Amino acid sequence: MTSYALFLGCTIPARQPSYEVSARRALTKLGIELVDLANMTCCAPPPVQSLDLETGLSIAAYNICLAEEADLNIVTLCTGCFESLAMANAMLKENEKLKARVNQILSNAGKEFEGSKEVKHYLQVLLNDVGPNRLKENVSKNLSSLKVASFSGCHLLRPSALLKFDDPEKPYIFDDLIETLGAKSIWYRHKLKCCGGLLRGYADDVALALAREKIVNTTKAGADCIVTLCPFCFLTLDLGQVLMKSTFHEEYNMPVLHYSELLALALGIDPTELALQFHKIKVYSVLNKIG
Amino acid sequence: MNEVKVGVFLSDCGNQLSKILDFNALTNYVKDVSDVVLVKRNSEFWRGEGLRIIVDAVKGGKINRVVVAESLPKLSEVSIVQAVEEAGLNPYLVEVIDLKDHCAWPHRETPKEATEKAKAMLLAATERAKLLEPIEKLEFPALKSVLVIGGGIAGMQAAVDLADLGFEVDLVEKEPFLGGLAARAGRFFPTDDCAICIQSPASDVKTITHTSRKCVYRSGFTEIPNLNILANSKVVGVEGVPGNYKVTIEKKPRYVNELKCVRCDLCTPVCPVEVPDEYNAKLKTRKAIYMITPNVHPPVYVIDESVCKFRDCAKCVEVCPTDAIELDQKIERVTLNVGSIIVATGFQEFDSSVIKEYHYGDYPDVITNLELARMIDGFGPTGGTIIKPSDRKPAKKIVMVQCVGSRDRRWNPYCSSICCMISLKHASLIKTAYPDTDVTVCYIDIRTTGREHEYYYERAREMGVKFVKGRPSEISRDPETGRLIVDVEDELLKRFLELDADLVVLAPAMVPAEGTKELAEILGLELEEDGFFKEYNAKLRPTETKLRGMYLCGGATFPKDAPTTSLHAHSAAMKAAKFLITGKIVKDQRTAVVNEEYCGDCEFCPVTCPYGAISLEPTSEDHIVARISDLLCEGCGICVGTCPLNAIELRHSRPNQMLAQMKALMSINGTSKPLILTICCSECGHAAVDSSGMAMMQYPANVRVMKVPCTGILQVHQFLEAFKVGAQGVMVVGCKSDGCHYEVGSQQAEKKVALARMLLKEYGIEPERLEMFNMVYIEGDKFAEAAQTMTERLKKLGKLQLMEGS
Amino acid sequence: MKQGKEEKTTNQAFSDVITSRLGGETITLCYQCGTCASSCPVARITPRFNPREVIKLSLLGEKDEVLSGDAIWLCCSCYNCQERCPQKVEIADVIYALRNIAVKEGNIPNIYSEFAAELINEGRIVPISKFLEKKRPDLGLPSLKPVGVDALRKIFSITGFDKIKQEKAEAS
Ligand code: SF4
Ligand code: SF4
Ligand code: SF4
C-alpha cells in the first residue's frame, strides 16, 4: 500500500465535505493510504502570496517540512494547495539562495527545509501509483453516455516551468483520466482560461463574469456536466450559477462535479454515501446517465 | 653568433620632443650602454634621409641590431623593418619604441622625470634588442582549389566567382538538387524577381554584360569546366592544414546515371510508390523516382531510397529508354584536395510546432511562410492558388503571424531580420493576384530597414492589407466548423480581437540549417550561442573564421536576405582567392616552440591554443610531446602562459627578453613615486596607452610600459619577478574579455592575475599591488586614470617589503 | 530639461524597486507585444485591468497610479500570460511583487486584510464552521487535526507579516 501525507487545506473541510468524502473513499478503495498529519496550516495560496511572497513561500515550506519529518510525500486534493506547495518545493530545490533565506526564517519555528519530498496532486497518484489499467479494471459503472467538460483549474498546470504537471497548452492527463472512467471528455472554447475564482471577494462582478463564460462555453459545447479538481473552481462554478440566476436571471443548471465524485461513482460507490446534497446545482441528470 | 652591435636612433620629431626631453642627456646615456656602437639623432628616421642613415649603418656592417625611437611606431616600424631587411639584416632584429606618446606627451608637465623614464625605455629596448634572434620566413604550399559546401544562392555565387578567377572549385550539396531554401521561395524581395536567378559566369561569353542575370538552369554555370558539382553529397571528414586540406565526401547513390538520363519522364508514371512531396509543403505527392521541379540542376531524376522498393518492383528500369536507372549504385567516397573551404550551408525555418498555442502541425490550415511560398509559386503544387490544405478550397481570409519563435527568449532571442519582408511580399503578391482576399498581419514591430523595403510596407497598406499591432496569444479551431480563430490584442485600439481565418500563416524564425553542428565539428569551426557559425569578427571580418583558410557566407552565419547573401558570397570568395592566389602561404616564425625535453605530455596546451596549432605526437613508445605547427600558430603565446613546465617559448618574446626589459624599465626611477610596471598586450592594451599619450592625457612618469603579444602569455611567476626587480606595483592591460584579439588571452590573463594575487599574499605582497585592466583604444582616459589611481594606491601602501627567500 | 531628468530618476527608481523584489526580477524584459493581455481572461472581460498596461505604467515610473489603483488586484493569478510571454517576463509573479510593494506602502484591499487577520489568528484563511466540523463523523470523516498556528506566528515575526495590519492602520 502506498502512503501519503494528505494535505487537506482550508476550503475543502470548510465548505466541501462531498469532495473529501469521495476522495477518501475512492483512494482508499484503490489502495492508497492517506495519513492526516498534525499542525499543518494554510498552504499560502495566491491571497497570501499577494500580501508577501516570502511569507507565502515560508508557510508552504513549513508544511513540506512536516511531511519530511514524517518521511512521507504529500498528496493534495485541492489544485490551489498543489500549486502553492509544489511551486515552493520546486523553487527551493532549484534556488540555493532562496532556500537559505527561507531556512533562516523557518529556524525560528524550529524547522529546516531539506527538499527530500515530493508534492503530488491526487491525479498523479491515480496515474502513477494506481495506473490507468488498474483504474479501468476497478470501474464497475458505465459512463459511456456522459459528455464531460473537464476543467482542471489553472494551478494544476501553471506555472508549468515549476509544476511540470502536464503540457500547459495541450494538457491531456486529466482528460485521459476522465476517459479511463469511460466518459467522454469534450472540447469547448477557452477551456484553459481561468474561472475567476480568485477574484471572488475582491471583484465579485468580474469573477462572476468569468465563471459565466465557462458555463456558457461548456453549455454551448453540449456538456452534461463540468468536472473540476479544485474546490475553488467548484465553488465558483457551482454556487456561481445561483448568483448568475439572481444577477443575470439566467438559468443554466450545469451540474458541476469533483473528479473524485465521478471516480467514486464509477467505482460503484453508492451515491447516497457521497454527501452530494452539498451541491447547489443538483446532479440527478448526471446520476441518471451513469448505468 | 658574432658579436652584438647595437645602433640606437633617436628621433626628436622635428624638435618637438626636445622641448620636453633632454636629448643630450639621452644620447650621452645611451652611448655608454654596453654593446651600443652607434647613436644618432635626427628629426625622423622612418623615411628619407633618416632612414638612409639606418640603412647605411646596416649595410656597412657597423651594426647588427637596430633600436629606433620614433613616433607613430605602428606606421614607421613597417618601413624601417622593410628597409633593414633590404639592407641585408634579419628584420626581426629591430626594436621600435615610441618616446612621444609613451613618454614626452603624457609627462610633458614633468620634463625631468620624463627624461629619466626615456632613459629607462631606451635601455629596455636596447637590452631586448641584444637578446633578439633572427627569425625565418617559411613558405607553405597553397593549392589553388576551393571546396564550397552548400548549393544555395550563397554557395553558387561564391563558386562561380572563384571558378571565374581560375580556381578549381568543388561545390557540394547535400540534397539531390541545387538551389537550397531559395529555390523554394519562388520570388525574392526587394526586386520581386525569381529566387533562382543568379549572376552568370564570366565564361558564358555571350552574357558578359551587366545584364548577365539568368535562371540557375539557364545560366551555364554548371558548364564551367573548372567547377565540379557534387549533389546528394556531404562532407564527412577533413584533414590537413590551411592551403592543403584533404576532404572526404560521401556521395549518396542517385540510382540514375547522370550521363544517361534524358528526362523523358517515362519513369514516374510507372512508379507505384507515391509519397507526400516535402519540397512542396506536402501539398502534393510525388513518386519514389522524381525531380523537384522541371528547371533544376542537375537535370537528372533521383530515386528516394527510403521508399523505393528496388528489385521488388524495378518498373522504372523496364521503361527507361536509355538504361539510365542503376538500382545497384552504392555510396561512393570521394577525396578532394583543396586549399580552402567555404561554408555556405544556410538556414532553415524553425519548427513552429513547439509553440503549442499556435497548433502548427495539429491544424492543417496553420502553415508557414515557406509553405505559403510554394502555393504562390506558379510552378508550385497549387499552380499559384492559395488554398486551405484541410479541404483544398480557396482561402479567402488569411491571418499572418510574425515573430514565431523569433525574438522569443524561450526559443530564439534574436530577430530573424527577414520575416517581416517575406510576409509583406507574400501579402502583396496575394493581394495582386486575388484582390478580394482578406489579409491581416499581426506584428510586434514591422522591420523594413533595407533600401526599397519600406516601400513594400507602403504598398501592402495601399492594397488593403490590414495590420494589427499585437502578438497573438493563441490559435484555436472550432471543431465543428473547422474555422480558425486567432486571439490577439490590438494594442493601439486596446481591443481584443478574435480574428476568424481560413488560413493562418506563421512567420517562423530562421535557424541554422540541419547538420550545422555536425559540420562544425568536422571542420573544427565554432558556433555562436544561437547555433550559427561564428565569424572571426562580426564588424570587420564577417566572412572569415578563426582558422585561416576557412570562410563563411550567406545564411550560415545568420539569416540574410538575397542581396546580403550575394555580398557575403562575393566577400568569402575574395578572401579565399586572396589566401590562395600566389600558390603559397608565407609566414614568419614568430611562433611558439616546445622544448621537447621539458614537455611532460600534460595535454594542457593543445586544448588551450585557440587556433588548434598544437598536436601531441609520440616520440617514443611511452612519451608524447606537444608540437606546434608554424603554419597554424598565430604567435599569441597563450600556450606559453598555460604550460606548467615552462616548456614553451615564443621565439620573438622569450622569457629572458622579457626579464631583461623589466629589469631595465625598473632600473631608473627619476621620480619620487613608486615604480609601476605596466604589461600590455600589443593590441587593445597598447593602443589604449598610445591613445592616452596622443591625447596628451597626463599620468606620472613612474608608470613604465612593456609590450607582450597578448596578455595570455603571462605566467604567474613573472609577476613575482617584476616585484623582485623593483616594481612596486604591476598593471596588466589587455583587451576586453570578450574582445581579445586572440579569443581567450585576456580571460586567461585574468585568471592568472587572480591566482597570482592569492599567491603574492604568501610572500607578504599586498594583492592590491597587482591588477588587471581591460581596455580598448578609445579608452586612453581610462588608462591615464588607472595609472594615477594605482600610483596613489601604492603611495598609501608604502614601500614593498619583500620577504626573505621570495 | 531639468524636469525630464528628474522624471527619469523616479522611473529608474521604481523599476529598480520592482526588479529587486522576489517575483519582480523580469519586468524590464517586456517589449509590449500584448501576448499577455490577449491571454488574460480578466483583461478580455473588463477594461479595469490589462497586464501589458500595468507593466508599461510601471516601467514608465507611474508608481502611484500602479500601487494605489485597483488594476493590480484584478489579476486572478492564472498564469496564462506567464506561460506564453516570449520575453519570459514572469508577469503573474511581477504582479505579486507589485501587490507586495503596495501592501508595504499600506495599500491593502479590505478582503486581503481579512485574509491576513484569519491567517494570523487561525492559521487558515477560510474559517471552518462549527456545523461542518460537528458533522464530520456522520459523513464518515476523521476529526480534524490541530492547526500549526503557533509555528506560523514564529515565521511571521521574522518576515514581518504580523505587522501588515498595523501598517494598514498607520496608513489610513
Ligand atoms: S602561441 Fe598561441 S597560436 Fe601559437 S601555439 Fe601557442 S596558443 Fe597556439
Ligand atoms: S507578453 Fe511579455 S513581453 Fe509581451 S507585453 Fe506581456 S509581459 Fe510584455
Ligand atoms: S495571471 Fe493575471 S495577468 Fe496573467 S493572464 Fe492570469 S489574470 Fe491575467
Side-chain angles (χ1 to χ4, degrees):
Chain A
M1 191 186 268
T2 322
S3 303
Y4 283 94
L6 173 66
F7 189 89
L8 205 49
C10 311
T11 314
I12 293 175
R15 300 274 181 84
Q16 287 164 30
S18 67
Y19 196 169
E20 192 180 340
V21 171
S22 55
R24 284 193 192 264
R25 292 284 304 266
L27 287 171
T28 316
K29 187 159 182 186
L30 292 167
I32 304 294
E33 187 196 22
L34 301 173
V35 181
D36 291 275
L37 296 180
N39 294 325
M40 291 209 155
T41 67
C42 164
C43 67
V48 179
Q49 296 167 32
S50 300
L51 291 162
D52 187 39
L53 273 174
E54 196 178 79
T55 304
L57 262 181
S58 308
I59 296 178
Y62 159 81
N63 282 292
I64 298 169
C65 289
L66 294 178
E68 287 181 346
E69 284 167 8
D71 195 17
L72 288 168
N73 288 324
I74 292 180
V75 66
T76 73
L77 303 182
C78 167
T79 307
C81 298
F82 169 71
E83 189 225 24
S84 319
L85 299 181
M87 194 159 77
N89 207 25
M91 280 169 84
L92 296 175
K93 281 184 189 180
E94 273 168 23
N95 185 336
E96 281 297 327
K97 236 171 94 188
L98 201 60
K99 181 172 156 185
R101 167 73 188 136
V102 164
N103 271 334
Q104 188 193 338
I105 296 168
L106 289 182
S107 65
N108 202 41
K111 294 276 177 268
E112 186 183 347
F113 174 88
E114 281 176 18
S116 59
K117 289 294 162 206
E118 279 175 62
V119 176
K120 297 187 185 179
H121 187 269
Y122 80 96
L123 278 199
Q124 285 164 312
V125 172
L126 289 176
L127 189 71
N128 301 322
D129 295 334
V130 180
N133 290 337
R134 205 146 66 76
L135 200 54
K136 216 178 259 166
E137 284 162 22
N138 277 281
V139 170
S140 63
K141 294 285 178 184
N142 183 355
L143 274 59
S144 61
S145 58
L146 200 62
K147 281 192 280 176
V148 170
S150 74
F151 180 57
S152 69
C154 303
H155 292 165
L156 187 69
L157 303 173
R158 299 180 294 263
S160 65
L162 292 170
L163 301 182
K164 299 191 173 76
F165 181 89
D166 197 351
D167 185 325
E169 295 291 346
K170 294 190 214 168
Y172 56 89
I173 292 176
F174 185 27
D175 299 273
D176 282 359
L177 280 171
I178 288 171
E179 307 224 321
T180 307
L181 302 183
K184 185 169 166 31
S185 177
I186 62 163
W187 178 90
Y188 59 94
R189 182 142 169 78
H190 284 163
K191 184 168 178 165
L192 297 179
K193 290 251 141 76
C194 181
C195 66
L198 279 169
L199 294 178
R200 284 163 37 86
Y202 177 74
D204 288 322
D205 52 336
V206 181
L208 195 62
L210 284 170
R212 180 170 171 270
E213 278 223 332
K214 254 296 95 149
I215 302 292
V216 169
N217 286 335
T218 50
T219 307
K220 250 194 212 156
D224 295 323
C225 63
I226 299 176
V227 171
T228 64
L229 290 169
C230 166
F232 239 67
C233 303
F234 178 86
L235 201 69
T236 312
L237 298 174
D238 183 56
L239 178 68
Q241 291 182 61
V242 178
L243 300 173
M244 283 169 220
K245 194 172 165 194
S246 58
T247 319
F248 310 120
H249 309 292
E250 290 171 351
E251 211 165 326
Y252 296 96
N253 282 321
M254 171 64 72
V256 185
L257 265 77
H258 296 291
Y259 177 75
S260 57
E261 293 172 340
L262 194 70
L263 174 64
L265 291 170
L267 295 179
I269 297 172
D270 186 344
T272 60
E273 292 171 18
L274 291 176
L276 295 172
Q277 67 273 23
F278 287 92
H279 287 234
K280 296 286 182 241
I281 302 297
K282 294 303 161 208
V283 298
Y284 305 123
S285 60
V286 176
L287 296 181
N288 286 340
K289 288 208 168 187
I290 297 179
Chain B
M1 198 178 170
N2 28 11
E3 164 203 10
V4 167
K5 294 175 283 183
V6 186
V8 181
F9 302 89
L10 298 170
S11 147
D12 57 25
C13 299
N15 265 328
Q16 282 302 305
L17 301 190
S18 45
K19 289 181 188 147
I20 297 153
L21 303 177
D22 180 346
F23 268 76
N24 288 334
L26 292 182
T27 352
N28 285 334
Y29 172 75
V30 186
K31 259 200 330 233
D32 294 339
V33 174
S34 64
D35 300 329
V36 172
V37 296
L38 181 73
V39 180
K40 289 273 178 198
R41 171 178 170 185
N42 199 26
S43 71
E44 57 177 16
F45 276 105
W46 65 288
R47 55 184 176 189
E49 185 218 340
L51 189 56
R52 217 166 309 127
I53 298 176
I54 300 181
V55 170
D56 289 346
V58 171
K59 271 197 181 146
K62 234 188 255 160
I63 57 170
N64 56 17
R65 292 289 186 285
V66 181
V67 170
V68 191
E70 182 57 282
S71 63
L72 292 175
K74 297 270 150 26
L75 184 69
S76 49
E77 194 171 341
V78 179
S79 61
I80 296 168
V81 164
Q82 205 180 338
V84 165
E85 187 174 14
E86 277 162 19
L89 187 66
N90 187 289
Y92 301 100
L93 300 177
V94 179
E95 179 72 5
V96 181
I97 61 168
D98 183 358
L99 282 186
K100 186 164 133 223
D101 297 323
H102 286 200
C103 186
W105 273 188
H107 313 312
R108 60 187 301 137
E109 279 155 23
T110 51
K112 282 215 176 79
E113 295 184 355
T115 302
E116 293 307 304
K117 172 170 169 179
K119 285 182 191 167
M121 287 172 70
L122 286 166
L123 179 63
T126 309
E127 293 302 329
R128 174 171 156 80
K130 285 196 241 171
L131 294 168
L132 289 175
E133 324 163 0
I135 281 175
E136 294 310 309
K137 277 191 183 149
L138 306 174
E139 271 185 20
F140 302 89
L143 301 177
K144 290 189 164 190
S145 56
V146 181
L147 167 71
V148 179
I149 308 172
I153 45 173
M156 288 194 283
Q157 292 286 16
V160 170
D161 280 347
L162 286 163
D164 277 350
L165 288 171
F167 291 88
E168 289 295 327
V169 182
D170 291 289
L171 176 63
V172 170
E173 166 59 47
K174 68 173 192 278
E175 297 295 328
F177 302 98
L178 294 186
L181 198 60
R184 293 166 71 184
R187 285 170 184 278
F188 269 172
F189 67 84
T191 42
D192 273 349
D193 64 355
C194 314
I196 53 159
C197 185
I198 63 163
Q199 207 183 10
S200 295
S203 55
D204 187 350
V205 260
K206 293 185 293 295
T207 59
I208 318 174
T209 65
H210 273 78
T211 59
S212 64
R213 176 162 68 88
K214 284 198 169 164
C215 316
V216 169
Y217 79 104
R218 297 194 314 148
S219 72
F221 106 98
T222 57
E223 297 314 309
I224 310 177
N226 48 334
L227 173 60
N228 175 30
I229 298 171
L230 293 145
N232 224 10
S233 305
K234 63 176 189 189
V235 174
V236 292
V238 173
E239 289 167 38
V241 288
N244 194 356
Y245 293 110
K246 195 171 127 202
V247 185
T248 314
I249 309 281
E250 200 172 271
K251 205 166 179 284
K252 278 211 295 187
R254 203 173 185 93
Y255 303 106
V256 180
N257 188 319
E258 303 198 17
L259 301 172
K260 290 188 185 165
C261 174
V262 291
R263 280 170 298 143
C264 61
D265 198 38
L266 290 174
C267 49
T268 58
V270 300
C271 175
V273 180
E274 197 159 340
V275 289
D277 182 2
E278 293 273 354
Y279 178 82
N280 280 311
K282 297 191 184 163
L283 288 163
K284 78 189 232 322
T285 57
R286 63 158 168 81
K287 294 298 180 63
I289 186 162
Y290 72 103
M291 224 153 105
I292 44 174
T293 135
N295 48 3
V296 286
H297 189 85
V300 179
Y301 281 73
V302 64
I303 290 180
D304 177 351
E305 59 182 8
S306 67
V307 294
C308 173
K309 297 192 202 315
F310 291 100
R311 287 277 161 237
D312 294 344
C313 165
K315 292 225 166 62
C316 52
V317 180
E318 286 160 29
V319 298
C320 179
T322 62
D323 290 334
I325 299 168
E326 300 169 351
L327 294 180
D328 301 326
Q329 279 186 8
K330 295 270 170 310
I331 289 185
E332 265 179 69
R333 284 205 166 212
V334 185
T335 311
L336 304 171
N337 292 306
V338 296
S340 132
I341 298 175
I342 295 182
V343 179
T345 47
F347 53 82
Q348 66 183 24
E349 275 190 342
F350 166 73
D351 174 12
S352 305
S353 69
V354 299
I355 301 187
K356 304 246 174 69
E357 55 269 33
Y358 287 170
H359 296 275
Y360 174 73
D362 292 345
Y363 305 160
D365 297 339
V366 178
I367 65 169
T368 68
N369 255 333
L370 197 56
E371 291 166 346
L372 178 66
R374 296 312 305 138
M375 289 198 215
I376 295 175
D377 188 349
F379 272 117
T382 60
T385 52
I386 315 298
I387 60 164
K388 298 195 285 173
S390 61
D391 59 6
R392 307 210 137 236
K393 292 203 182 113
K396 287 285 159 205
K397 286 184 116 178
I398 299 174
V399 174
M400 297 187 165
V401 180
Q402 297 308 110
C403 299
V404 176
S406 290
R407 306 180 70 200
D408 187 329
R409 296 178 63 246
R410 299 170 300 173
W411 308 105
N412 308 292
Y414 54 86
C415 164
S416 297
S417 79
I418 53 174
C419 345
C420 281
M421 283 303 294
I422 295 174
S423 299
L424 290 173
K425 174 196 73 176
H426 284 167
S428 307
L429 289 173
I430 294 170
K431 275 289 192 185
T432 311
Y434 310 101
D436 59 338
T437 306
D438 186 285
V439 183
T440 306
V441 180
C442 302
Y443 67 96
I444 310 175
D445 300 291
I446 293 280
R447 295 185 168 172
T448 56
T449 54
R451 187 172 214 185
E452 293 289 313
H453 290 190
E454 184 65 9
Y455 166 67
Y456 272 70
Y457 190 11
E458 196 180 303
R459 183 177 65 181
R461 297 196 303 272
E462 245 166 49
M463 290 175 147
V465 175
K466 296 174 193 160
F467 289 89
V468 171
K469 180 166 170 57
R471 181 180 175 279
S473 58
E474 186 175 353
I475 298 164
S476 42
R477 183 184 59 172
D478 188 318
E480 255 151 52
T481 62
R483 295 193 68 78
L484 299 174
I485 311 162
V486 180
D487 281 343
V488 61
E489 180 199 23
D490 186 314
E491 296 179 21
L492 305 175
L493 293 174
K494 290 206 211 161
R495 225 176 260 173
F496 295 97
L497 308 179
E498 299 191 353
L499 303 171
D500 168 77
D502 292 323
L503 189 67
V504 175
V505 184
L506 308 179
M510 301 298 169
V511 297
E514 208 184 304
T516 295
K517 227 172 146 185
E518 293 75 10
L519 183 64
E521 250 160 53
I522 293 172
L523 299 177
L525 290 177
E526 280 175 43
L527 300 179
E528 279 287 0
E529 230 169 90
D530 56 23
F532 288 100
F533 282 97
K534 184 173 174 171
E535 62 270 85
Y536 189 67
N537 180 294
K539 186 181 75 180
L540 297 171
R541 303 166 81 170
T543 53
E544 292 170 68
T545 70
K546 205 170 67 178
L547 306 179
R548 291 179 198 223
M550 293 212 197
Y551 306 94
L552 307 166
C553 65
T557 63
F558 200 68
K560 280 178 190 60
D561 59 8
T564 321
T565 299
S566 298
L567 281 173
H568 234 228
H570 301 319
S571 155
M574 169 60 91
K575 294 288 177 181
K578 235 167 96 176
F579 183 60
L580 302 175
I581 195 101
T582 57
K584 63 183 184 205
I585 303 161
V586 180
K587 262 200 96 223
D588 65 52
Q589 243 186 334
R590 276 182 300 177
T591 49
V593 57
V594 177
N595 184 333
E596 295 188 0
E597 259 172 58
Y598 296 173
C599 175
D601 54 45
C602 67
E603 307 184 12
F604 281 174
C605 58
V607 281
T608 335
C609 173
Y611 304 96
I614 311 181
S615 53
L616 294 172
E617 285 166 26
T619 48
S620 66
E621 256 165 41
D622 46 22
H623 191 52
I624 354 175
V625 292
R627 291 241 166 90
I628 294 170
S629 150
D630 282 323
L631 175 58
L632 297 176
C633 175
E634 295 284 336
C636 59
I638 292 171
C639 54
V640 178
T642 309
C643 179
L645 296 168
N646 300 338
I648 315 181
E649 291 188 6
L650 276 191
R651 291 185 175 85
H652 202 53
S653 290
R654 302 249 187 215
N656 64 338
Q657 295 163 358
M658 289 192 250
L659 183 61
Q661 260 178 297
M662 278 188 207
K663 268 191 189 149
L665 287 170
M666 297 294 111
S667 65
I668 305 169
N669 189 336
T671 78
S672 56
K673 296 170 210 93
L675 280 171
I676 297 176
L677 179 68
T678 302
I679 309 175
C680 62
C681 73
S682 51
E683 307 297 340
C684 295
H686 203 248
V689 180
D690 283 350
S691 80
S692 79
M694 285 179 202
M696 294 197 198
M697 284 161 195
Q698 299 296 299
Y699 58 87
N702 55 319
V703 178
R704 308 284 156 87
V705 177
M706 177 173 101
K707 185 167 77 169
V708 293
C710 167
T711 49
I713 195 178
L714 296 173
Q715 291 168 290
V716 171
H717 69 82
Q718 284 177 305
F719 300 119
L720 187 61
E721 258 168 16
F723 288 113
K724 277 200 203 155
V725 299
Q728 298 288 304
V730 177
M731 294 167 64
V732 180
V733 188
C735 306
K736 300 273 175 193
S737 319
D738 58 354
C740 174
H741 287 59
Y742 297 101
E743 310 277 318
V744 295
S746 250
Q747 290 162 23
Q748 295 284 351
E750 278 161 35
K751 282 189 214 145
K752 297 285 165 44
V753 168
L755 180 62
R757 282 169 72 122
M758 267 161 47
L759 296 176
L760 289 177
K761 245 195 252 167
E762 310 271 308
Y763 290 108
I765 303 174
E766 300 87 341
E768 308 91 278
R769 289 187 188 267
L770 170 63
E771 192 171 337
M772 168 107 193
F773 300 87
N774 305 86
M775 292 176 191
V776 293
Y777 166 70
I778 46 170
E779 291 175 327
D781 53 339
K782 224 176 123 186
F783 174 73
E785 198 188 303
Q788 277 289 1
T789 321
M790 195 71 175
T791 306
E792 292 310 315
R793 183 192 298 169
L794 293 174
K795 274 196 208 155
K796 275 201 200 107
L797 284 175
K799 197 168 165 356
L800 174 67
Q801 304 291 338
L802 273 180
M803 271 165 41
E804 279 296 305
S806 56
Chain C
M1 193 58 217
K2 193 179 168 236
Q3 204 186 348
K5 220 176 174 181
E6 265 175 17
E7 236 171 57
K8 194 162 172 255
T9 43
T10 42
N11 299 350
Q12 218 44 46
F14 191 42
S15 59
D16 282 353
V17 170
I18 302 167
T19 49
S20 58
R21 271 206 85 94
L22 191 59
E25 301 89 344
T26 54
I27 188 170
T28 52
L29 294 168
C30 172
Y31 61 9
Q32 293 287 303
C33 69
T35 307
C36 52
S38 175
S39 300
C40 178
V42 181
R44 289 182 162 266
I45 268 184
T46 170
R48 285 157 64 194
F49 173 60
N50 178 319
R52 179 181 59 75
E53 277 180 37
V54 168
I55 290 176
K56 184 81 193 170
L57 285 169
S58 304
L59 292 176
L60 288 176
E62 298 297 342
K63 184 174 171 211
D64 295 338
E65 188 175 343
V66 172
L67 295 184
S68 54
D70 117 291
I72 54 171
W73 299 100
L74 279 161
C75 165
C76 62
S77 311
C78 69
Y79 285 95
N80 266 314
C81 51
Q82 190 154 325
E83 287 296 333
R84 292 175 179 164
C85 171
Q87 287 298 308
K88 289 196 186 174
V89 177
E90 295 170 352
I91 303 141
D93 297 337
V94 164
I95 290 182
Y96 280 138
L98 290 169
R99 288 179 181 177
N100 289 183
I101 299 169
V103 168
K104 277 253 175 289
E105 304 214 336
N107 288 323
I108 315 179
N110 289 334
I111 179 92
Y112 283 87
S113 306
E114 284 168 29
F115 288 141
E118 274 311 319
L119 190 64
I120 294 166
N121 296 332
E122 307 290 338
R124 299 170 170 279
I125 59 169
V126 187
I128 293 192
S129 71
K130 287 279 161 275
F131 167 74
L132 271 186
E133 195 162 0
K134 271 200 204 117
K135 233 176 144 51
R136 289 180 69 88
D138 297 348
L139 295 169
L141 296 172
S143 56
L144 290 171
K145 297 274 183 203
V147 176
V149 65
D150 295 334
L152 289 199
R153 291 195 192 131
K154 287 183 185 142
I155 290 173
F156 299 161
S157 72
I158 309 259
T159 63
F161 191 84
D162 47 1
K163 305 213 179 59
I164 278 180
K165 275 201 304 188
Q166 291 168 17
E167 274 161 20
K168 164 102 179 163
E170 274 160 30
S172 56

